Amino acid sequence: MRNHLTRRQVLGAASTGLLAAKAARPAAATDKPALLGGGPVRSAPFPSWPVIAENEERAWMQVLRSGKWNRLDGDNARQFEETWASTLGAKHCLATANGTSALIISLNALGVGPGDEVIVPPYTFVATVNAVLLQHALPVFVDTDPETSQIDARKIEAAITERTRCILPVHLGGSPTDLDTILEIGRKHKLPVLEDACQAHLAEWRKRKVSTLGSLGCFSFQASKNLNSGEGGAILTNDTDLYQVCQSFHNNGRGDTGSGFGYVRNGANLRMTEFQAALLIEQLKRVEEQSHRREQNAAYLTKQLAEIPGIRPARMYPGATRNAYHLYMFRYDQSVFAGLPRARFLAALRAEGVPCSGGYTPLNKEPFLKHTFDSRAYRAIYPARQLAEWQDRNHCPANDKLCEEAVWFTQTMMLGLREDMDQIVEAVRKPQRQAEALIERS
Ligand SMILES: Cc1ncc(COP(=O)(O)O)c(C=O)c1O
């Protein structure tokens, strides 16, 4: 990698917030792990998030000064919906307060309710499952494919019963889940597929944007997301009838798009504000370039990390033509690191200047599920035998193992420079060389 930046690279770096990372060069590394007092592989921060520039400030102030802060008065939410729908190639987009409300609205529109079962992955953010529970439906967990960290589509059919009402797969970390298999199962069993694309902005399955292949698809624009307005969400669909139900439900069940008193169903206020929409319109201008940079860095990182014994980057399915890399995920095999426990490996990486986490814990084992099923409402809806059997149907051993082995990097790290990726690789290699010392001194 050259040490100077061209003008074009400087402009690109400025737009993704990279100059600070470039300016602060890494400290000289020694082979002694930083956790044991050696010099860290890197001392510079990774690119900060969110990217804020003049255009965001201008757009924000325009909404503020207009006094039209609510979408029923302003035009930003509508504009954002049009742009996001056309970017993704969908007929309709509905902006929502956040990703959780997008899921709740979608489940309502699909008629999911008490007594229904919804197929979900155990390896996801809790909101996927909470949205199902808020409908007083039963989440049915299907184990994870450890090679990809996605729901194991080959195991979905065995989980379907006459009570199944919807399949809710997640494109976890921005990597498309096996949509060929899932959509085929949906068709065969006449079940709608609701795509949780909350982490998968611009990801593609066979060159089509995820969220547009199922009956409905949901996004989150919460602060950490690749497209961000602090909070925010959206529903994408090509089905005009479903869109109209979602639109109405999210606007207190009104029969039109306005603020009158004509109600046609129950609903809630789950509308996006004009401030959120204005920020999204501006952030959208960078999303393609940022996404491209993440893909390039992630491809490079995968090539390097795959060469390290005991490190297995999450594989993509052959139909996945674009990964959003909201998370960069790999599995860590401690036996190839002289038995160095994952927690110690993570601590060593952090000490080397590489932020990381161990990712999710098994959702299907969360104690709050039992509390929910013990609630008065659940006991009134479900026979005791069905709730007792639920436990036996929801073991996910592959997911349990993945939760013990996973290591994650965040999307902002993938916005760095090539040399940042080299430093990540070196920070992973170092604990392998020094595993015994790290174990001895733990
Ligand atoms: C997979 C997944 N589903 C749903 C959500 C919920 O989105 P929000 O936080 O915007 O409500 C998130 C957000 O983190 C998510 O990662």
Side-chain angles (χ1 to χ4, degrees), residues 305 308 311 337 345 349 424-432:
L305 289 180
I308 304 176
I311 301 294
F337 281 64
F345 171 73
L349 271 186
I424 292 175
V425 175
E426 174 52 18
V428 172
R429 284 191 187 278
K430 211 169 153 187
Q432 189 159 55

Side-chain angles (χ1 to χ4, degrees), residues 335-413:
S335 72
V336 189
F337 281 64
L340 181 71
R342 181 184 62 167
R344 187 81 173 145
F345 171 73
L346 293 172
L349 271 186
R350 286 185 203 114
E352 299 296 346
V354 173
C356 55
S357 83
Y360 295 132
T361 50
L363 255 189
N364 55 318
K365 292 180 164 174
E366 276 290 335
F368 84 84
L369 285 172
K370 185 166 173 355
H371 301 156
T372 308
F373 299 157
D374 283 344
S375 67
R376 195 170 53 80
Y378 267 76
R379 280 188 287 112
I381 298 162
Y382 298 92
R385 193 171 43 80
Q386 192 182 344
L387 290 176
E389 279 170 8
W390 182 92
Q391 202 78 29
D392 296 332
R393 290 174 67 203
N394 283 274
H395 293 296
C396 297
N399 188 64
D400 294 346
K401 189 152 192 294
L402 175 66
C403 290
E404 287 167 11
E405 295 181 344
V407 178
W408 289 0
F409 300 140
T410 59
Q411 54 95 1
T412 53
M413 294 164 72

Side-chain angles (χ1 to χ4, degrees), residues 98-101 103 124-125 127-128 170 172 196 198-199 220-222 225 231-232 360:
N98 50 48
T100 307
S101 55
L103 287 168
T124 180
F125 182 59
T128 314
V170 179
L172 196 87
D196 182 337
C198 283
Q199 301 183 359
S220 163
F221 307 123
Q222 171 271 341
K225 299 300 189 294
E231 301 286 359
Y360 295 132

Side-chain angles (χ1 to χ4, degrees), residues 68 74 89 97 113 126 140 150 175 225 239 269 293 314 325 369 403 426 431 438:
K68 295 176 177 173
V126 68
V140 173
Q150 308 298 323
S175 184
K225 299 300 189 294
D239 183 322
N269 173 5
R293 184 183 289 270
Y325 287 105
L369 285 172
C403 290
E426 174 52 18
L438 282 164

